[in-house]
């Protein structure tokens, strides 16, 4: 197996409607990938399948050097195996500071018996600080999360995700609701993260996708319609018809 995640021939049907149709997808251990496509193309459902939230009717999802079958694991086991997912709505604790939120994420990452006895050590405080710096919140450690801008909350949530040391990050529409400056900083963050992680980004904002400067997978009716550079896929006649020319 070449990639970190190898999805092959998955299909899922909801009430007779085929939302994912013989979809195959592969991503390397340090790779950034944008997934685009019209509403209802199956982008979120694809992430639901990889994270174990939705079970495909057929196909395979293999993970890591030992080709672990993710379809045999539940959501918690898949998360522990190294698949992290960032949801669109930030789920940070608004009354807690940035540092407290990150520390909680670090704590949640420990095994249950350790959580009982767990007290943050100097190394944990250092890790919290490093995570904050990594997501651009190094100056905001003691701020209440509720005071952060929408974009900053999204970065905090990415930091909380990183506390769990995922190898793959699935990020669904991160740019929604962000200012242009926040969107630009988010691209920089995702590009940086993809040097050491596999990162899959679903996004409709084409300027955002262009700045990611990565391979693009176009989904349509639950299948891959085109794959390649953004210039390559946006020149594809079918892609223009189903997505860009709307
Ligand atoms: N749990 C479900 N039950 C029934 N139908 C579903 C379910 N989840 C998704 N669908 C349907 O599957 C199709 C694919 O939806 P999905 O949310 O994956 O699309 P998407 O590409 O993420 O679209 P968008 O760009 O609007 O977010 C849609 O027609 C949707 O209505
Ligand atoms: Mg979606």
């Amino acid at each position: 197996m070449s990639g970190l995640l190898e999805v092959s021939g998955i299909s899922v049907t909801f009430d007779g409607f085929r939302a994912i149709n013989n979809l195959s997808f592969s991503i390397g251990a340090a790779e950034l990938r944008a997934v685009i496509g019209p509403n209802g193309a199956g982008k979120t459902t694809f992430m639901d399948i990889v994270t174990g939230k939705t079970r495909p009717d057929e196909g395979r999802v293999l993970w890591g050097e030992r080709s672990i079958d993710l379809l045999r694991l539940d959501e918690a086991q898949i998360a522990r195996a190294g698949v992290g997912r960032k949801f669109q709505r930030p789920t940070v604790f608004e009354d807690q500071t940035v540092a407290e939120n990150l520390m909680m994420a670090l704590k949640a990452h420990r095994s249950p018996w350790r959580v009982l006895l767990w007290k943050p050590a100097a190394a944990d405080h250092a890790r919290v600080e490093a995570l904050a710096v990594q997501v651009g919140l190094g100056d905001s450690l003691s701020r209440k999360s509720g005071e952060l801008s929408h974009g900053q909350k999204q970065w905090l949530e990415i930091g909380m995700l990183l506390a769990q040391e995922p190898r793959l990050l699935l990020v669904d529409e991160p740019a929604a609701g962000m200012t242009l400056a926040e969107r630009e900083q988010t691209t920089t963050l995702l590009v940086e993260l993809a040097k050491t992680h596999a990162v899959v980004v679903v996004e409709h904002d084409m300027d955002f996708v262009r700045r990611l400067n990565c391979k693009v997978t176009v989904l349509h009716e639950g299948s891959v319609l085109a794959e390649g550079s953004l210039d390559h896929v946006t020149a594809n006649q079918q892609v223009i018809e189903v997505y860009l020319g709307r």
Side-chain angles (χ1 to χ4, degrees), residues 87-102:
F87 286 94
Q88 196 173 329
R89 198 173 329 124
T91 54
V92 302
F93 294 96
E94 307 248 325
D95 290 341
Q96 309 276 322
T97 66
V98 167
E100 285 164 344
N101 268 288
L102 289 168

Side-chain angles (χ1 to χ4, degrees), residues 4-245:
L4 174 66
L5 176 76
E6 294 278 352
V7 173
S8 49
I10 53 167
S11 296
V12 66
T13 301
F14 298 116
D15 306 321
F17 174 75
R18 210 161 236 249
I20 296 289
N21 184 15
N22 193 26
L23 174 69
S24 296
F25 178 95
S26 163
I27 188 166
E31 186 185 344
L32 180 59
R33 181 74 58 86
V35 175
I36 64 173
N39 297 114
K43 304 180 297 295
T44 299
T45 305
F46 162 68
M47 290 188 170
D48 289 343
I49 290 172
V50 174
T51 55
K53 192 176 169 215
T54 296
R55 295 284 155 191
D57 306 320
E58 52 190 287
R60 292 196 308 170
V61 181
L62 299 180
W63 171 255
E65 289 70 18
R66 288 182 295 137
S67 294
I68 295 165
D69 180 2
L70 286 193
L71 298 180
R72 299 180 64 156
L73 306 185
D74 65 26
E75 280 187 79
Q77 289 170 322
I78 291 171
R80 276 201 297 277
V83 177
R85 182 181 196 171
K86 161 86 187 67
F87 286 94
Q88 196 173 329
R89 198 173 329 124
T91 54
V92 302
F93 294 96
E94 307 248 325
D95 290 341
Q96 309 276 322
T97 66
V98 167
E100 285 164 344
N101 268 288
L102 289 168
M103 192 61 88
M104 264 187 288
L106 210 56
K107 183 175 172 177
H109 178 53
R110 312 293 152 128
S111 59
W113 66 270
R114 285 191 61 186
V115 168
L116 286 174
L117 309 167
W118 197 77
K119 280 220 180 73
D124 298 305
H125 289 292
R127 176 89 178 113
V128 161
E129 211 172 309
L131 285 167
V133 169
Q134 195 175 8
V135 298
L137 294 173
D139 296 333
S140 306
L141 276 161
S142 55
R143 284 180 70 195
K144 283 260 195 298
S145 304
E147 295 167 7
L148 300 176
S149 71
H150 172 74
Q152 289 174 316
K153 283 180 194 170
Q154 300 276 8
W155 302 332
L156 173 56
E157 213 188 350
I158 291 174
M160 292 168 71
L161 206 56
L162 292 173
Q164 293 154 45
E165 295 172 24
R167 296 184 67 193
L168 165 67
L169 286 145
L170 302 169
V171 189
D172 204 351
E173 303 197 30
M178 285 190 182
T179 64
L180 178 60
E182 288 173 341
R183 286 200 294 268
E184 287 179 352
Q185 201 173 330
T186 303
T187 357
T188 308
L189 171 59
L190 294 173
V191 168
E192 195 57 35
L193 287 175
K195 291 176 181 169
T196 47
H197 302 76
V199 181
V200 178
V201 187
V202 167
E203 188 50 66
H204 285 291
D205 179 339
M206 281 301 142
D207 294 326
F208 188 94
V209 173
R210 183 164 294 285
R211 279 194 304 270
L212 290 176
N213 190 27
C214 66
K215 188 169 169 182
V216 177
T217 298
V218 186
L219 290 196
H220 174 54
E221 294 178 347
S223 304
V224 175
L225 182 63
E227 205 162 61
S229 69
L230 185 61
D231 287 335
H232 172 78
V233 300
T234 53
N236 180 304
Q237 198 53 43
Q238 278 179 296
V239 174
I240 293 169
E241 273 163 33
V242 305
Y243 188 44
L244 301 167

